[in-house]
mmCIF file of all heavy atoms in Angstrom:
data_model
loop_
_atom_site.group_PDB
_atom_site.id
_atom_site.type_symbol
_atom_site.label_atom_id
_atom_site.label_comp_id
_atom_site.label_asym_id
_atom_site.label_seq_id
_atom_site.Cartn_x
_atom_site.Cartn_y
_atom_site.Cartn_z
ATOM 1 N N LEU A 126 -6.618 -20.217 11.933
ATOM 2 C CA LEU A 126 -7.323 -19.108 12.410
ATOM 3 C C LEU A 126 -8.400 -18.668 11.407
ATOM 4 O O LEU A 126 -8.335 -19.066 10.248
ATOM 5 C CB LEU A 126 -6.382 -17.888 12.730
ATOM 6 C CG LEU A 126 -5.592 -17.342 11.568
ATOM 7 C CD1 LEU A 126 -6.303 -16.130 10.924
ATOM 8 C CD2 LEU A 126 -4.171 -16.897 12.033
ATOM 9 N N THR A 127 -9.368 -17.912 11.846
ATOM 10 C CA THR A 127 -10.545 -17.573 10.985
ATOM 11 C C THR A 127 -10.638 -16.019 10.877
ATOM 12 O O THR A 127 -10.429 -15.317 11.849
ATOM 13 C CB THR A 127 -11.824 -18.053 11.623
ATOM 14 O OG1 THR A 127 -11.754 -19.522 11.762
ATOM 15 C CG2 THR A 127 -13.004 -17.741 10.707
ATOM 16 N N LEU A 128 -10.895 -15.560 9.662
ATOM 17 C CA LEU A 128 -11.058 -14.121 9.382
ATOM 18 C C LEU A 128 -12.349 -13.889 8.593
ATOM 19 O O LEU A 128 -12.760 -14.760 7.774
ATOM 20 C CB LEU A 128 -9.891 -13.571 8.542
ATOM 21 C CG LEU A 128 -8.530 -13.650 9.183
ATOM 22 C CD1 LEU A 128 -7.465 -13.111 8.202
ATOM 23 C CD2 LEU A 128 -8.427 -12.880 10.490
ATOM 24 N N THR A 129 -12.953 -12.806 8.793
ATOM 25 C CA THR A 129 -14.163 -12.407 8.001
ATOM 26 C C THR A 129 -13.910 -11.025 7.354
ATOM 27 O O THR A 129 -13.506 -10.066 8.050
ATOM 28 C CB THR A 129 -15.404 -12.320 8.923
ATOM 29 O OG1 THR A 129 -15.633 -13.629 9.461
ATOM 30 C CG2 THR A 129 -16.665 -11.945 8.122
ATOM 31 N N VAL A 130 -14.210 -10.945 6.074
ATOM 32 C CA VAL A 130 -14.044 -9.700 5.337
ATOM 33 C C VAL A 130 -15.470 -9.213 4.925
ATOM 34 O O VAL A 130 -16.253 -10.021 4.456
ATOM 35 C CB VAL A 130 -13.203 -9.906 4.057
ATOM 36 C CG1 VAL A 130 -13.109 -8.623 3.261
ATOM 37 C CG2 VAL A 130 -11.811 -10.408 4.479
ATOM 38 N N GLU A 131 -15.745 -7.904 5.177
ATOM 39 C CA GLU A 131 -17.081 -7.430 4.914
ATOM 40 C C GLU A 131 -17.292 -6.847 3.557
ATOM 41 O O GLU A 131 -18.347 -6.995 2.985
ATOM 42 C CB GLU A 131 -17.408 -6.331 5.982
ATOM 43 C CG GLU A 131 -17.536 -6.844 7.387
ATOM 44 C CD GLU A 131 -17.908 -5.735 8.353
ATOM 45 O OE1 GLU A 131 -17.596 -4.552 8.094
ATOM 46 O OE2 GLU A 131 -18.473 -6.048 9.429
ATOM 47 N N GLN A 132 -16.320 -6.218 2.969
ATOM 48 C CA GLN A 132 -16.468 -5.569 1.655
ATOM 49 C C GLN A 132 -15.686 -6.289 0.561
ATOM 50 O O GLN A 132 -14.598 -6.792 0.800
ATOM 51 C CB GLN A 132 -16.011 -4.149 1.769
ATOM 52 C CG GLN A 132 -16.995 -3.224 2.486
ATOM 53 C CD GLN A 132 -16.573 -1.720 2.338
ATOM 54 O OE1 GLN A 132 -15.659 -1.393 1.608
ATOM 55 N NE2 GLN A 132 -17.298 -0.914 3.079
ATOM 56 N N ASP A 133 -16.252 -6.248 -0.647
ATOM 57 C CA ASP A 133 -15.518 -6.712 -1.867
ATOM 58 C C ASP A 133 -14.538 -5.636 -2.277
ATOM 59 O O ASP A 133 -14.800 -4.463 -2.085
ATOM 60 C CB ASP A 133 -16.497 -7.039 -2.992
ATOM 61 C CG ASP A 133 -17.278 -8.280 -2.769
ATOM 62 O OD1 ASP A 133 -16.720 -9.246 -2.132
ATOM 63 O OD2 ASP A 133 -18.479 -8.333 -3.142
ATOM 64 N N PRO A 134 -13.439 -6.024 -2.893
ATOM 65 C CA PRO A 134 -12.494 -5.016 -3.399
ATOM 66 C C PRO A 134 -13.139 -4.064 -4.419
ATOM 67 O O PRO A 134 -12.809 -2.888 -4.435
ATOM 68 C CB PRO A 134 -11.403 -5.906 -4.049
ATOM 69 C CG PRO A 134 -11.497 -7.201 -3.379
ATOM 70 C CD PRO A 134 -12.938 -7.375 -3.068
ATOM 71 N N ALA A 135 -14.039 -4.562 -5.265
ATOM 72 C CA ALA A 135 -14.714 -3.699 -6.259
ATOM 73 C C ALA A 135 -15.544 -2.608 -5.563
ATOM 74 O O ALA A 135 -15.602 -1.470 -6.015
ATOM 75 C CB ALA A 135 -15.553 -4.505 -7.182
ATOM 76 N N THR A 136 -16.251 -2.981 -4.498
ATOM 77 C CA THR A 136 -17.021 -2.033 -3.765
ATOM 78 C C THR A 136 -16.141 -0.935 -3.147
ATOM 79 O O THR A 136 -16.499 0.224 -3.171
ATOM 80 C CB THR A 136 -17.814 -2.713 -2.655
ATOM 81 O OG1 THR A 136 -18.618 -3.787 -3.176
ATOM 82 C CG2 THR A 136 -18.737 -1.751 -1.893
ATOM 83 N N GLU A 137 -15.025 -1.343 -2.582
ATOM 84 C CA GLU A 137 -14.111 -0.373 -2.004
ATOM 85 C C GLU A 137 -13.630 0.601 -3.042
ATOM 86 O O GLU A 137 -13.505 1.807 -2.759
ATOM 87 C CB GLU A 137 -12.949 -1.101 -1.357
ATOM 88 C CG GLU A 137 -11.907 -0.185 -0.709
ATOM 89 C CD GLU A 137 -10.715 -0.992 -0.178
ATOM 90 O OE1 GLU A 137 -10.691 -2.213 -0.364
ATOM 91 O OE2 GLU A 137 -9.825 -0.412 0.401
ATOM 92 N N ALA A 138 -13.230 0.076 -4.251
ATOM 93 C CA ALA A 138 -12.745 0.936 -5.319
ATOM 94 C C ALA A 138 -13.804 1.944 -5.725
ATOM 95 O O ALA A 138 -13.496 3.105 -6.005
ATOM 96 C CB ALA A 138 -12.275 0.129 -6.475
ATOM 97 N N ALA A 139 -15.092 1.489 -5.831
ATOM 98 C CA ALA A 139 -16.159 2.387 -6.267
ATOM 99 C C ALA A 139 -16.407 3.451 -5.213
ATOM 100 O O ALA A 139 -16.611 4.630 -5.546
ATOM 101 C CB ALA A 139 -17.433 1.583 -6.412
ATOM 102 N N GLU A 140 -16.281 3.146 -3.944
ATOM 103 C CA GLU A 140 -16.471 4.149 -2.905
ATOM 104 C C GLU A 140 -15.349 5.187 -2.980
ATOM 105 O O GLU A 140 -15.583 6.394 -2.786
ATOM 106 C CB GLU A 140 -16.502 3.511 -1.523
ATOM 107 C CG GLU A 140 -17.803 2.644 -1.321
ATOM 108 C CD GLU A 140 -17.840 2.039 0.083
ATOM 109 O OE1 GLU A 140 -16.842 2.136 0.803
ATOM 110 O OE2 GLU A 140 -18.893 1.486 0.458
ATOM 111 N N ASP A 141 -14.119 4.707 -3.153
ATOM 112 C CA ASP A 141 -12.974 5.654 -3.307
ATOM 113 C C ASP A 141 -13.219 6.608 -4.454
ATOM 114 O O ASP A 141 -12.861 7.783 -4.413
ATOM 115 C CB ASP A 141 -11.666 4.859 -3.405
ATOM 116 C CG ASP A 141 -11.311 4.132 -2.147
ATOM 117 O OD1 ASP A 141 -11.907 4.455 -1.110
ATOM 118 O OD2 ASP A 141 -10.516 3.139 -2.223
ATOM 119 N N SER A 142 -13.739 6.039 -5.591
ATOM 120 C CA SER A 142 -13.955 6.895 -6.769
ATOM 121 C C SER A 142 -14.999 7.931 -6.508
ATOM 122 O O SER A 142 -14.946 9.108 -6.942
ATOM 123 C CB SER A 142 -14.353 6.013 -7.957
ATOM 124 O OG SER A 142 -14.644 6.718 -9.080
ATOM 125 N N GLU A 143 -16.064 7.591 -5.712
ATOM 126 C CA GLU A 143 -17.115 8.553 -5.375
ATOM 127 C C GLU A 143 -16.640 9.621 -4.467
ATOM 128 O O GLU A 143 -17.023 10.786 -4.552
ATOM 129 C CB GLU A 143 -18.291 7.830 -4.785
ATOM 130 C CG GLU A 143 -19.040 6.930 -5.744
ATOM 131 C CD GLU A 143 -20.166 6.154 -5.060
ATOM 132 O OE1 GLU A 143 -20.319 6.347 -3.820
ATOM 133 O OE2 GLU A 143 -20.880 5.448 -5.797
ATOM 134 N N GLU A 144 -15.723 9.298 -3.540
ATOM 135 C CA GLU A 144 -15.191 10.243 -2.605
ATOM 136 C C GLU A 144 -14.315 11.248 -3.241
ATOM 137 O O GLU A 144 -14.235 12.391 -2.852
ATOM 138 C CB GLU A 144 -14.463 9.513 -1.458
ATOM 139 C CG GLU A 144 -15.379 8.716 -0.566
ATOM 140 C CD GLU A 144 -14.617 7.945 0.455
ATOM 141 O OE1 GLU A 144 -13.331 7.989 0.422
ATOM 142 O OE2 GLU A 144 -15.172 7.258 1.289
ATOM 143 N N SER A 145 -13.592 10.870 -4.309
ATOM 144 C CA SER A 145 -12.700 11.797 -4.989
ATOM 145 C C SER A 145 -13.003 11.829 -6.455
ATOM 146 O O SER A 145 -12.279 11.151 -7.262
ATOM 147 C CB SER A 145 -11.228 11.370 -4.762
ATOM 148 O OG SER A 145 -11.022 10.022 -5.143
ATOM 149 N N PRO A 146 -14.084 12.535 -6.958
ATOM 150 C CA PRO A 146 -14.416 12.570 -8.376
ATOM 151 C C PRO A 146 -13.333 13.262 -9.153
ATOM 152 O O PRO A 146 -12.629 14.089 -8.675
ATOM 153 C CB PRO A 146 -15.726 13.361 -8.357
ATOM 154 C CG PRO A 146 -15.693 14.177 -7.141
ATOM 155 C CD PRO A 146 -14.957 13.331 -6.134
ATOM 156 N N GLN A 147 -13.236 12.909 -10.417
ATOM 157 C CA GLN A 147 -12.297 13.506 -11.358
ATOM 158 C C GLN A 147 -12.682 14.913 -11.644
ATOM 159 O O GLN A 147 -13.839 15.220 -11.837
ATOM 160 C CB GLN A 147 -12.161 12.705 -12.609
ATOM 161 C CG GLN A 147 -11.636 11.240 -12.397
ATOM 162 C CD GLN A 147 -11.529 10.541 -13.700
ATOM 163 O OE1 GLN A 147 -11.927 10.996 -14.750
ATOM 164 N NE2 GLN A 147 -10.929 9.363 -13.618
ATOM 165 N N GLU A 148 -11.700 15.787 -11.707
ATOM 166 C CA GLU A 148 -11.945 17.185 -11.992
ATOM 167 C C GLU A 148 -12.071 17.374 -13.543
ATOM 168 O O GLU A 148 -11.275 16.835 -14.253
ATOM 169 C CB GLU A 148 -10.787 18.077 -11.522
ATOM 170 C CG GLU A 148 -10.659 18.055 -9.974
ATOM 171 C CD GLU A 148 -9.552 18.984 -9.564
ATOM 172 O OE1 GLU A 148 -8.850 19.559 -10.446
ATOM 173 O OE2 GLU A 148 -9.312 19.113 -8.321
ATOM 174 N N LEU A 149 -13.145 18.171 -13.922
ATOM 175 C CA LEU A 149 -13.317 18.420 -15.337
ATOM 176 C C LEU A 149 -12.327 19.430 -15.802
ATOM 177 O O LEU A 149 -11.939 20.338 -15.027
ATOM 178 C CB LEU A 149 -14.780 18.944 -15.548
ATOM 179 C CG LEU A 149 -15.862 17.968 -15.199
ATOM 180 C CD1 LEU A 149 -17.232 18.604 -15.369
ATOM 181 C CD2 LEU A 149 -15.823 16.706 -16.063
ATOM 182 N N PRO A 150 -11.901 19.352 -17.060
ATOM 183 C CA PRO A 150 -10.916 20.309 -17.589
ATOM 184 C C PRO A 150 -11.543 21.671 -17.640
ATOM 185 O O PRO A 150 -12.722 21.823 -18.066
ATOM 186 C CB PRO A 150 -10.575 19.748 -18.951
ATOM 187 C CG PRO A 150 -11.717 18.857 -19.320
ATOM 188 C CD PRO A 150 -12.213 18.304 -17.965
ATOM 189 N N THR A 151 -10.778 22.688 -17.284
ATOM 190 C CA THR A 151 -11.302 24.069 -17.394
ATOM 191 C C THR A 151 -11.247 24.555 -18.780
ATOM 192 O O THR A 151 -10.486 24.111 -19.611
ATOM 193 C CB THR A 151 -10.514 24.966 -16.452
ATOM 194 O OG1 THR A 151 -9.111 24.917 -16.877
ATOM 195 C CG2 THR A 151 -10.621 24.492 -15.017
#
Side-chain angles (χ1 to χ4, degrees):
L126 61 94
T127 302
L128 300 177
T129 299
V130 177
E131 293 183 333
Q132 286 188 6
D133 287 325
T136 304
E137 180 185 3
E140 290 181 354
D141 292 342
S142 177
E143 291 176 359
E144 291 176 359
S145 56
Q147 296 181 352
E148 296 182 358
L149 296 176
T151 59

